[in-house]
Amino acid sequence: MSNKVEASTLILRVMLGITFFVHGFVKFQGGIENIVGWFDSIGLPGFLAYGVASVEMIGGAALVLGLGSRIVSALLALLMIGATVKVKLAGGFLGNGQMAGYELDLALLAMAVFIAINGSKMFALDQIIFKGQKTETSSFLKN
């Protein structure tokens, strides 16, 4: 990838990571039991709130650091699909006056999918930790 693309991807990766980290942190800080109750009220098992908040917080931090960016981004993309379909779709693209729309969810989904497909190597700890190691996946993707 060119340096311009890598720099752009770095910006997306860090901003996506910060956004998800903050969302996950707030779920725990505000009382995860409130989120558990809300999940129950919309027909989802309450225990999923712990998983969602953990993936957001830990995954967000991992993205900022550049650890497992492709895998983490794929998980975050799945969260965004779930949030859009289960919660936000009924409110419309821009919302309905009672709840927010799904426009932000789609933007975050697009960012996550881009990073899941392309990866992000610039200033990524993965590049330091696995320097010089060639994986079968990366060899396969180059062919």
Side-chain angles (χ1 to χ4, degrees):
M1 249 192 259
S2 75
N3 283 341
K4 287 181 184 179
V5 174
E6 274 297 331
S8 300
T9 305
L10 170 66
I11 293 167
L12 287 178
R13 187 188 86 214
V14 170
M15 290 311 303
L16 187 66
I18 290 170
T19 301
F20 274 103
F21 177 82
V22 170
H23 277 264
F25 182 76
V26 167
K27 283 179 177 70
F28 283 113
Q29 185 183 37
I32 191 70
E33 290 304 318
N34 295 331
I35 306 299
V36 169
W38 182 73
F39 269 51
D40 284 331
S41 76
I42 63 169
L44 293 172
F47 71 87
L48 284 178
Y50 290 98
V52 168
S54 296
V55 168
E56 288 178 345
M57 198 166 81
I58 296 166
L63 278 180
V64 171
L65 297 172
L67 291 170
S69 297
R70 285 184 164 178
I71 294 168
V72 169
S73 293
L75 289 172
L76 295 175
L78 290 174
L79 286 181
M80 287 297 87
I81 291 169
T84 301
V85 170
K86 184 66 180 170
V87 180
K88 302 282 187 92
L89 202 58
F93 186 74
L94 295 175
N96 59 11
Q98 296 174 347
M99 64 184 278
Y102 56 87
E103 74 280 2
L104 176 61
D105 300 72
L106 287 182
L108 295 173
L109 172 62
M111 292 167 66
V113 168
F114 180 87
I115 295 168
I117 292 169
N118 294 296
S120 177
K121 296 178 182 178
M122 186 178 274
F123 300 117
L125 284 182
D126 279 351
Q127 296 303 301
I128 296 168
I129 294 170
F130 302 113
K131 187 177 182 179
Q133 293 182 5
K134 200 173 199 180
T135 63
E136 288 181 30
T137 305
S138 65
S139 298
F140 174 74
L141 292 174
K142 289 181 182 177
N143 292 332

